[in-house]
């Protein structure tokens, strides 16, 4: 199984940059995902990394280092609507697509 | 396109009653997942299906929980008898093999067991 760790909460100012770290331990890594969840809503997909490196998608970027068991989600030019919980999730080899989620990082964007 | 549809959105019941949650996955998706989310435990995978067949139910808390998928467009999660500690948001999610590796979640069912 996996052990997924991410900070509980982060606060940043509108227009700033925030980096959410995620570390994991797994017996056979097969992909790392980031989801965004606004309060009272369902999680929505943000990014997917299976190879080392940086994936950029607009204001959001996700980085993966498989050797270190480490990923981060970078949110740039923060907007108030980015206030949400950000969930790191890991898929294992042979798990037929099953995702295990971290506890989530609550990002609070202040004016 | 319609997303994953769950019903009911909210369910309030008394301890000991049977609860049935329903899910309609996105048409053409071959995987269906049931998750439970609480403040204490976060998002937990309960069970998932591939082509209507249960693949892994190791996350189902106990025998009071059961899930079925009689066809590709419908799944149920049943709790009988329900207990207060079952209170949570239950999410259904689906995805399609080979298509962007991402889960699509339904809006969830907020279950309160009194």
């Amino acid at each position: 199984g996996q052990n997924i760790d991410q900070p509980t909460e982060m606060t940043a100012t509108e227009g700033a940059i925030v980096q959410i770290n995620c570390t994991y331990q797994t017996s056979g890594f097969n992909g790392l995902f980031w989801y965004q969840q606004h309060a009272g809503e369902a999680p929505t997909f943000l990014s997917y990394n299976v190879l080392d490196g940086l994936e950029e998608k607009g204001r959001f970027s996700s980085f993966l280092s498989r050797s270190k068991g480490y990923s981060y989600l970078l949110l740039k030019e923060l907007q108030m609507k980015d206030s949400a919980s950000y969930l790191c999730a890991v898929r294992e080899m042979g798990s037929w697509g099953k995702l295990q989620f971290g506890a989530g990082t609550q990002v609070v964007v202040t004016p | 396109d319609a997303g994953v549809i769950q019903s009911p959105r909210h369910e309030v019941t008394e301890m000991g009653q049977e609860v049935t949650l329903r899910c309609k996955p996105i048409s053409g998706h071959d995987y269906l997942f049931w998750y439970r989310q609480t403040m204490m435990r976060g998002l937990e995978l309960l069970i998932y299906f591939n082509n209507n067949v249960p693949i892994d139910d190791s996350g189902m808390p106990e025998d009071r929980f059961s899930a079925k998928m009689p066809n590709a467009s419908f799944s149920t999660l049943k709790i009988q008898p329900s207990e207060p500690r079952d209170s949570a948001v239950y999410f259904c999610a689906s995805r399609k093999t080979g298509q962007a590796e991402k889960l699509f979640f339904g809006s969830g069912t907020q279950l309160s067991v009194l």
Side-chain angles (χ1 to χ4, degrees), chain B:
Chain B
D1 287 340
V4 177
I5 299 172
Q6 290 186 246
S7 65
R9 287 298 307 274
H10 303 274
E11 177 80 33
V12 180
T13 190
E14 292 187 345
M15 183 174 62
Q17 297 297 307
E18 177 179 296
V19 175
T20 300
L21 311 181
R22 297 172 176 79
C23 175
K24 177 180 169 56
I26 294 173
S27 177
H29 282 198
D30 55 338
Y31 281 89
L32 183 141
F33 302 78
W34 283 101
Y35 282 89
R36 176 173 71 175
Q37 188 172 41
T38 61
M39 289 293 292
M40 290 296 294
R41 302 173 69 92
L43 199 59
E44 303 175 278
L45 177 65
L46 300 177
I47 184 172
Y48 74 99
F49 297 81
N50 178 230
N51 292 322
N52 314 338
V53 176
I55 302 300
D56 185 345
D57 65 354
S58 60
M60 296 286 259
E62 48 198 272
D63 292 346
R64 296 186 297 107
F65 285 68
S66 62
K68 295 181 180 179
M69 192 165 186
N71 57 63
S73 59
F74 184 65
S75 177
T76 59
L77 178 67
K78 185 177 294 186
I79 309 172
Q80 165 64 17
S82 59
E83 297 182 2
R85 60 191 168 128
D86 302 331
S87 297
V89 180
Y90 290 81
F91 287 106
C92 176
S94 71
R95 78 171 189 91
K96 182 172 182 172
T97 300
Q99 193 176 69
E101 301 298 347
K102 57 184 178 181
L103 288 178
F104 292 84
F105 283 81
S107 299
T109 295
Q110 174 74 59
L111 174 65
S112 297
V113 183
L114 306 177

Side-chain angles (χ1 to χ4, degrees), chain A residues 16-38:
Chain A
I17 297 173
V18 69
Q19 178 174 315
I20 308 169
N21 296 325
C22 172
T23 58
Y24 63 89
Q25 296 174 328
T26 180
S27 53
F29 176 82
N30 192 25
L32 187 137
F33 300 74
W34 285 96
Y35 281 77
Q36 180 191 58
Q37 186 177 24
H38 286 100

Side-chain angles (χ1 to χ4, degrees), chain A residues 33-80:
Chain A
F33 300 74
W34 285 96
Y35 281 77
Q36 180 191 58
Q37 186 177 24
H38 286 100
E41 298 182 10
T44 56
F45 172 83
L46 286 179
S47 69
Y48 165 60
N49 295 69
V50 67
L51 299 175
D52 290 352
L54 188 68
E55 294 279 344
E56 296 187 83
K57 194 183 294 185
R59 294 188 299 113
F60 292 3
S61 303
S62 57
F63 171 82
L64 175 68
S65 169
R66 289 172 295 170
S67 62
K68 296 181 179 178
Y70 168 70
S71 172
Y72 68 72
L73 180 69
L74 194 69
L75 314 181
K76 294 179 278 190
E77 301 169 18
L78 278 174
Q79 301 176 10
M80 297 301 290

